[in-house]
Each structure stands twice: as structure tokens, then as C-alpha cells.
Amino acid sequence: EENGYPVMDYAAMEKFFEENLGFAKYVSLFDSLDEEDYYFTDTHWQQQKITEAAEKILVSLEAKPFEDFEEKIATENFKGVYYGQSALPLKPEKIVYLTTPELEHMTVLNYETGLKGGIYNFDKLEGKDPYEFYLSGAVPLLEVTNSSAESDRHLIIFRDSFGSSLAPLLMRDYSKITIIDTRYLLPNFIGNYVDFEGADVLFMWGQAIYNDSTMIRQR
């Protein structure tokens, strides 16, 4: 701000949510994150660094976290969006993912393709954006089945790409998890595919989405 650049007023954003979200509970993650939790060459956070933020959301949902994650390396050659833009000799980074026996046995249905797969899509590591490894990236509608859940709870997540790596950390207590990206699915069509009755609903977007109304399509 002192150099004349546009600056996000995060305090004003939080105040707006707290005062206007009468239908929902606002959960602040600011004290659970810092700059070291994000990639150096990319805008996104690193999955292995956001377990504290995930647990804070789960407390609000009255749901349990996974007991133990195993860290695995998906690739050591991740070059994020800043890698090419910087024109500097930056080092590629690792994409680390967290897994459990429960996560490895979950089934993900992609409504766009009709295909079923796993939580992590290894084919995406060879594509243009390896971060799409998490839940196959930008997909309008996904449905995850968790046969290990001890309840029939249903979680619906409205998300952007940040939610792709966060969502797997929230799945332990839910037998069904529906993941919606309204950048690619008009809200007035969602009711044709999703039953909201009795479900927990989480809106989880990065601030760039909240501050660009064209990104959240309306009726």
C-alpha cells in the first residue's frame, strides 16, 4: 500500500462476511495460515500445510478429522503459474499429497464425463497444470462416496481450485461428499443434480473469487 499498489482490505472483507452472512457461520482461517503454506511458484496452498485450517472447518461442522495422514510425493517438478511469468531461474517444487486408507478407497464420480476415479488423479501430473492432480482440477460437479464413514452424513462443498486440495481433508465423517464449482455450473441447474436435504454445506473460495462477481454465476 505504501508503494501505491492496489491492496486487498482483508479486515473489511471479514467484517462484511460477519455482518451479512445471516444464513451461515463465518469461519476465519487467517490465524491458521501464513505465507510459508503456499507454493513459491504458484498461487495455491500446499495440501500438507493446511491441516490446521481443515481442522478448524471440521470443528465448525462438528465433524472429525482423519487420525493420521501419510505424506507422499506426487511430483518434484511442479512449475506453478509464477514460474514462467517471473522469467527467473526458479527451482521446480514438490507436490506433496496426504492420504489415508479411507481416502484411497473412496470413489469419485465426475458428472461431466460419467467416469469414476480416485481422490488423486495421477494423469493430471503430466498435463498443463499439475495442481489438477487434486480431485482432477476444474470440474463442475463431483460426487465422492466414502464407504468407510460411520454415518450417512452428506457434505456439499462449493469450491474453486483451492477447495480441490482442501476437500479430501474433510471427508472422514461423511458417506457422501458433493463438490460443486459454480464457475462451470450455473446455480439454477444445481438442484437437478444435488439433494440438499439434511446436508452440511460449505462455501470455500479464495478471495479472488469473492471479489469478482462474474466468477460466481447467479440465477
Side-chain angles (χ1 to χ4, degrees):
E1 186 174 13
E2 62 271 20
N3 296 315
Y5 294 104
V7 176
M8 178 61 62
D9 190 336
Y10 292 107
M13 184 176 72
E14 282 205 294
K15 185 172 185 292
F16 177 84
F17 289 145
E18 290 171 348
E19 292 178 351
N20 292 280
L21 290 183
F23 64 91
K25 179 180 180 181
Y26 174 67
V27 181
S28 175
L29 301 181
F30 281 94
D31 60 354
S32 302
L33 299 164
D34 60 44
E35 64 182 13
E36 299 301 322
D37 297 332
Y38 296 79
Y39 291 100
F40 187 73
T41 65
D42 198 73
T43 57
H44 292 103
W45 51 27
Q46 302 178 67
Q47 190 189 50
Q48 74 276 20
K49 302 290 187 67
I50 60 172
T51 54
E52 182 181 343
E55 289 189 18
K56 192 168 186 179
I57 293 171
L58 288 169
V59 168
S60 180
L61 293 168
E62 297 183 1
K64 297 176 182 178
F66 288 103
E67 293 181 353
D68 293 297
F69 287 110
E70 180 181 358
E71 287 192 12
K72 293 186 177 182
I73 297 174
T75 180
E76 298 186 7
N77 194 39
F78 177 50
K79 302 172 182 177
V81 66
Y82 299 140
Y83 186 91
Q85 293 177 358
S86 68
L88 297 172
L90 303 178
K91 294 181 179 179
E93 299 181 90
K94 296 178 182 178
I95 288 183
V96 175
Y97 67 102
L98 303 178
T99 188
T100 68
E102 298 97 324
L103 281 171
E104 291 182 0
H105 287 91
M106 292 185 192
T107 302
V108 182
L109 171 62
N110 184 328
Y111 273 78
E112 186 176 33
T113 64
L115 300 176
K116 292 183 178 181
I119 296 294
Y120 302 115
N121 188 338
F122 290 86
D123 292 339
K124 294 291 185 178
L125 295 173
E126 306 302 323
K128 184 178 180 180
D129 182 6
Y131 198 79
E132 292 189 339
F133 163 78
Y134 299 105
L135 285 172
S136 297
V139 178
L141 183 62
L142 298 171
E143 184 178 294
V144 182
T145 301
N146 176 13
S147 59
S148 300
E150 297 178 356
S151 74
D152 61 354
R153 296 179 69 180
H154 180 198
L155 175 63
I156 299 171
I157 303 175
F158 288 85
R159 57 94 185 210
D160 57 10
S161 54
F162 285 87
S164 297
S165 55
L166 174 71
L169 311 186
L170 309 177
M171 294 180 176
R172 177 187 172 184
D173 264 7
Y174 295 93
S175 60
K176 179 180 175 181
I177 304 97
T178 303
I179 302 171
I180 303 166
D181 194 330
T182 53
R183 294 174 298 172
Y184 310 105
L185 178 63
L186 287 169
N188 52 314
F189 288 108
I190 294 173
N192 297 337
Y193 304 98
V194 182
D195 180 7
F196 286 83
E197 185 68 29
D200 293 339
V201 180
L202 173 66
F203 294 89
M204 217 309 301
W205 290 305
Q207 57 84 13
I209 300 294
Y210 284 112
N211 283 279
D212 184 353
S213 61
T214 61
M215 297 293 285
I216 303 177
R217 301 184 183 187
Q218 299 182 4
R219 292 174 184 262

